């Protein structure tokens, strides 16, 4: 019986599960914003402003997460895993496109909107008390 020593893989593989999950997670955030399910996370009656902030913020956050995931998957699929850079690389790639500056401004405003919604969510959380 021969003992086989595994040779190192010329193309290192990384865990695909986290990468493949970024697109569905981004889709979930977009769905949560579009369907307004985030309103259930707030206690009491939320204002129209809070609902709009949450809707725009969740949709934009979902697009940013999904976009980063797609770029990582594309870079890894082309056997260029060193070009898979995450959200930073996704934003740089987006900025290099013809309408990149306008898209980056829209993405930035959307993420700021999500941040403002997060302040409202911190102020009016739905807390469950257990005895």
């Amino acid at each position: 019986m021969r003992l086989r020593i595994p040779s190192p893989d010329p193309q290192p593989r990384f865990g695909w599960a986290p990468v493949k999950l970024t697109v569905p997670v981004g889709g979930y955030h977009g769905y949560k914003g579009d369907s307004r399910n985030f309103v259930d996370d707030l206690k009491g009656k939320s204002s129209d402003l809070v609902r709009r902030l949450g809707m725009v913020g969740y949709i934009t956050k979902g697009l940013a997460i999904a976009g980063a995931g797609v770029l990582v998957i594309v870079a890894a699929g082309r056997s260029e895993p060193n070009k898979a850079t995450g959200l930073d690389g996704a934003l740089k790639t987006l900025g290099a496109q013809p309408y990149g500056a306008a898209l980056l401004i829209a993405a930035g405003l959307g993420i700021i909107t999500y941040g403002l919604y997060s302040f409202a969510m911190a102020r009016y959380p739905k807390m469950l008390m257990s005895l």
Side-chain angles (χ1 to χ4, degrees), residues 40-101:
D40 298 338
D41 298 337
L42 303 171
K43 76 174 180 186
K45 182 96 169 126
S46 60
S47 70
D48 189 43
L49 175 64
V50 171
R51 287 192 302 274
R52 287 179 192 226
L53 287 173
M55 184 180 72
V56 172
Y58 267 107
I59 291 171
T60 307
K61 180 182 175 183
L63 289 173
I65 292 171
V70 166
L71 288 176
V72 168
I73 290 170
V74 167
R78 291 182 178 171
S79 297
E80 299 170 357
N82 58 339
K83 291 187 179 181
T85 57
L87 185 58
D88 180 47
L91 294 177
K92 286 179 182 176
T93 302
L94 184 62
Q97 302 308 312
Y99 295 105

Side-chain angles (χ1 to χ4, degrees), residues 42 50 53 111-125:
L42 303 171
V50 171
L53 287 173
I111 291 172
I112 289 170
T113 304
Y114 181 77
L116 293 172
Y117 167 74
S118 295
F119 281 119
M121 192 169 68
R123 174 74 173 103
Y124 303 107

